[in-house]
Amino acid sequence: MSQAQATENTLATPVGTTLERYIKRKEAEFAYATGELSQLLRDIALAGKIVNREVNRAGLSRITGAMGEKNVQGEHQQKLDMEANIRFIRALTNGGEACAVLSEEDEHIIETGNTHGKYVVAIDPLDGSSNIDVNVSIGTIFSIYRRVSRIGGPARKEDFLQGGRAQVAAGYILYGSSTMLVYTTGHGVAGFTYENSLGEFFLSHPDIKIPRQGPVFSCNEGNWFDYPEFVRTFLTTCKERRLTARYVGSLVADYHRNLFTGGIYLYPPTVAKPEGKLRLLYEGYPLAFLIEQAGGMAVTGADVVLDVHPTSDLHQRAPLFVGSADLVQELQAVAAQ
Ligand code: AHM
Ligand code: MG
């Protein structure tokens, strides 16, 4: 191919669908869409871009000023998880559509002041705390509800305690070898890859489906002796069938890999943590909503995650087994015995 032809081909290649265009197109497909949910997704994507920049620069922090110290401009540098928290809350506050945010980093609900906002957002701004400082993939997880409290008034706890089936959108951002945003509004799952030089997310995976079966199991086997019997029985069958063990220790990274390869992620109850470690409202529910939309399953043992009724504790924990439908069903059957 001549140089001229190659140039012509490159120029003829469509630029691709940006997240912005995709959101607009989807909005046009729903007769009653008012654009507010779209705006919320844009706000989350914007904060995600900023966090992505900070995550990428994290390795330089020792050179330009360690986290927790002042940087060259004399500004106090935040630890990355705190920084991410601030970025998401700020984006959701400025965007105007969320009346409140529930974050893993804050004990109480954060009122944004947008009392006319129709939505609330539950978020884990930067998940994978043990990997943050060592340059290993980490992620953001979010879950969106339409509020049930009076519009114009303050948000209430009940807005966040509607149960997983009431979610109107959910997703995650993976800060990995490339940064991706994956989300659902209940009409399938779409994935977008971030193009750093253009500052845009581009549609890269239009309709993600998880394989029914998969070769991977992902859990912290260091906890083996603290796992309940049904988990050990299930894991033993995985090993007998020569499944592969893969565990990053970042939920988003492990989940994302299994979404594409097929597999099961497990955070079971342990002796020390009888409810498991992960939080139902901003880890379990959103990832369960998304996996069901991708054709997979999520259970807490015998029960389906999205059918679990929340307690009054906004930061409640629940065991999580999530991934390929056949594997999760198998685990569920052993748990129910
Ligand atoms: P975090 O919210 O403190 O980051 O904890 C959640 C993380 C998950 O990303 C990961 O799957 C799990 O904790 C790892 O826990 P463990 O080190 O017990 O295996
Ligand atoms: Mg977390």
Side-chain angles (χ1 to χ4, degrees):
M1 194 188 301
S2 71
Q3 180 67 40
Q5 266 173 328
T7 310
E8 199 170 306
N9 283 353
T10 309
L11 291 175
T13 308
V15 175
T17 305
T18 61
L19 175 66
E20 178 65 33
R21 183 177 285 258
Y22 181 87
I23 289 175
K24 262 212 170 77
R25 199 169 74 204
K26 286 289 155 193
E27 193 185 301
E29 286 171 16
F30 301 114
Y32 303 105
T34 54
E36 290 146 335
L37 180 60
S38 304
Q39 184 54 44
L40 257 185
L41 292 168
R42 285 189 197 102
D43 298 337
I44 288 171
L46 173 64
K49 287 181 194 178
I50 299 171
V51 171
N52 175 60
R53 188 190 63 192
E54 301 308 320
V55 167
N56 277 308
R57 284 209 309 223
L60 288 168
S61 62
R62 291 229 176 77
I63 302 164
T64 58
M67 300 288 178
E69 291 176 5
K70 288 189 176 162
N71 64 13
V72 281
Q73 284 88 34
E75 295 161 334
H76 204 75
Q77 285 198 305
Q78 300 283 346
K79 283 196 72 78
L80 264 185
D81 40 6
M82 292 312 295
E83 166 98 26
N85 193 36
I86 292 166
R87 296 295 181 181
F88 279 99
I89 292 169
R90 202 176 284 169
L92 290 166
T93 300
N94 293 342
E97 312 301 346
C99 63
V101 179
L102 167 69
S103 165
E104 176 168 354
E105 300 295 338
D106 297 284
E107 190 187 341
H108 301 291
I109 294 171
I110 301 139
E111 300 276 352
T112 59
N114 305 320
T115 50
H116 283 88
K118 290 186 189 150
Y119 294 93
V120 296
V121 179
I123 193 160
D124 184 350
L126 208 53
D127 181 67
S129 40
S130 64
N131 287 325
I132 289 177
D133 293 335
V134 290
N135 208 2
V136 172
S137 298
I138 43 185
T140 296
I141 310 169
F142 61 91
S143 162
I144 302 175
Y145 295 88
R146 199 165 283 121
R147 70 191 291 186
V148 287
S149 56
R150 187 179 61 81
I151 293 175
R156 294 165 59 89
K157 234 176 149 183
E158 290 66 35
D159 294 322
F160 292 95
L161 296 171
Q162 300 180 51
R165 298 256 174 235
Q167 293 174 98
V168 293
Y172 63 83
I173 303 171
L174 169 68
Y175 311 99
S177 50
S178 59
T179 292
M180 280 192 73
L181 187 153
V182 180
Y183 81 93
T184 182
T185 54
H187 303 273
V189 177
F192 300 80
T193 303
Y194 188 59
E195 189 1 305
N196 252 310
S197 61
L198 297 174
E200 291 273 14
F201 282 102
F202 284 95
L203 180 64
S204 49
H205 301 79
D207 184 21
I208 300 173
K209 293 287 176 220
I210 183 168
R212 273 204 76 86
Q213 260 296 351
V216 174
F217 68 96
S218 312
C219 65
N220 185 345
E221 275 199 86
N223 292 331
W224 178 269
F225 294 109
D226 293 334
Y227 284 161
E229 198 51 46
F230 80 88
V231 175
R232 282 191 268 177
T233 305
F234 174 77
L235 287 173
T236 303
T237 65
C238 289
K239 292 176 189 182
E240 282 165 357
R241 283 179 286 160
R242 304 295 188 268
L243 264 65
T244 295
R246 289 280 183 277
Y247 190 65
V248 176
S250 272
L251 173 57
V252 172
D254 283 310
Y255 178 98
H256 183 78
R257 181 200 49 247
N258 293 359
L259 182 60
F260 288 94
T261 61
I264 181 168
Y265 170 95
L266 311 90
Y267 210 106
T270 61
V271 173
K273 300 185 181 101
E275 298 304 322
K277 178 183 183 188
L278 304 176
R279 316 294 184 137
L280 185 60
L281 268 57
Y282 39 81
E283 292 178 322
Y285 278 158
L287 295 181
F289 182 25
L290 198 133
I291 210 78
E292 284 199 6
Q293 286 295 316
M297 270 186 77
V299 300
T300 58
D303 301 322
V304 170
V305 172
L306 291 182
D307 294 331
V308 169
H309 291 293
T311 65
S312 60
D313 177 6
L314 293 167
H315 298 282
Q316 65 200 271
R317 299 172 197 270
L320 181 65
F321 306 93
V322 59
S324 293
D326 285 357
L327 284 168
V328 177
Q329 250 163 23
E330 211 178 294
L331 176 287
Q332 187 185 30
V334 186
Q337 276 166 16

